[in-house]
Amino acid sequence: ASSPLQLASNLVAMHTTTALAGVAVFLPTAAAFFGAPLPLAGGRPGLAATSRAGSLSVNMNTQDAQPGLNRRRFVGGTIGGAAALGLGALFPVQSAEAAGKGKAGPRLPQGEWNELVASNKISKQAYSVLHDADTERPFTSPLNKEKRPGVFKCAACATPAFLSETKFNSGTGWPSFYDKLEGVELEADNKMDFLAQRQEVHCVKCGGHFGHVFNDGAAWKVPTGKRYCINGLSLAFSPNDATEAA
């Protein structure tokens, strides 16, 4: 039989292993939520990377790929790791019907996304945001300073997304709005976003990723109490076009 000292030693070793596994899963997730960029292509400048697992070959070096983090694929893998640790019991799985509503992810055929980039309708950086849910660097979007009346549309499919009258200066570094149009859909059933007190927002037509909505709008005294924090790369602005979205 094992001695009390051996049993105590085994118990400590077991809990230490579990704690280290938890850190391995949740530390990268925390970095994802708080904007710490993960290295692209092993962190070596100039090394070509293939976006969306080979679906589109894009030279993702450090000069032409400002978005530093593919949240959709990374968080998806992290959720799987959390499930392996037995945390699934804390977050019961919803019905298939509920899970299907507002599901994030590209909805256009991959060939159409490729053509959007090849024809320069969207940039490689915009593709990374819209298709792969990357996040642009704060304070880099020209739309932060856009104050003309008009409509902000999906950069990929031109679906009206936000009216200029709902835009406000949040000081966060990304274009911010307090309300959306019907062309914007909220993602459902994302447990990690639920923990971060936010929801992903995307285009209802093409599924392109826009950003996230937070319920902290009261800090800016906006009428809805919501702050839609949006990547400027995901939008195209059409001035004096407000009546089109009405």
Side-chain angles (χ1 to χ4, degrees):
S2 300
S3 67
L5 182 60
Q6 288 176 320
L7 290 174
S9 177
N10 291 339
L11 186 61
V12 169
M14 180 183 67
H15 283 292
T16 300
T17 301
T18 302
L20 289 175
V23 169
V25 170
F26 290 105
L27 188 58
T29 304
F33 286 135
F34 291 103
L38 297 179
L40 288 171
R44 293 177 294 215
L47 180 63
T50 303
S51 181
R52 185 58 76 165
S55 59
L56 175 67
S57 294
V58 178
N59 183 17
M60 299 290 283
N61 59 42
T62 55
Q63 289 184 329
D64 67 0
Q66 285 195 8
L69 186 62
N70 188 325
R71 296 176 190 273
R72 182 171 291 141
R73 286 182 295 180
F74 177 74
V75 173
T78 305
I79 293 175
L85 290 175
L87 297 180
L90 297 177
F91 309 108
V93 177
Q94 295 184 5
S95 66
E97 179 182 0
K101 293 180 179 179
K103 184 175 178 59
R107 295 174 184 173
L108 296 179
Q110 186 57 47
E112 292 188 31
W113 286 104
N114 294 354
E115 180 58 28
L116 286 171
V117 177
S119 63
N120 292 320
K121 183 173 181 180
I122 62 173
S123 66
K124 295 174 183 178
Q125 293 92 337
Y127 173 91
S128 295
V129 170
L130 288 159
H131 187 276
D132 292 336
D134 281 353
T135 300
E136 70 188 12
R137 303 298 184 191
F139 302 102
T140 59
S141 174
L143 295 183
N144 281 321
K145 299 181 180 180
E146 181 58 69
K147 297 180 180 180
R148 294 174 293 173
V151 177
F152 294 85
K153 300 179 180 180
C154 174
C157 67
T159 298
F162 302 96
L163 291 178
S164 60
E165 62 194 56
T166 65
K167 186 174 181 287
F168 68 99
N169 182 13
S170 66
T172 59
W174 292 277
S176 300
F177 305 85
Y178 63 76
D179 205 357
K180 67 179 184 67
L181 296 174
E182 292 183 358
V184 178
E185 187 173 57
L186 305 185
E187 182 185 16
D189 198 33
N190 186 318
K191 304 301 189 298
M192 302 308 292
D193 275 352
F194 173 78
L195 290 176
Q197 295 295 295
R198 68 183 190 182
Q199 277 185 285
E200 181 177 348
V201 295
H202 51 268
C203 178
V204 71
K205 181 178 179 181
C206 71
H209 172 79
F210 289 147
H212 295 87
V213 60
F214 300 83
N215 292 319
D216 58 5
W220 292 270
K221 299 180 180 180
V222 295
T224 63
K226 296 183 180 297
R227 172 174 59 94
Y228 290 84
C229 187
I230 307 299
N231 292 283
L233 286 168
S234 70
L235 301 175
F237 180 65
S238 295
N240 301 318
D241 200 18
T243 56
E244 180 179 327

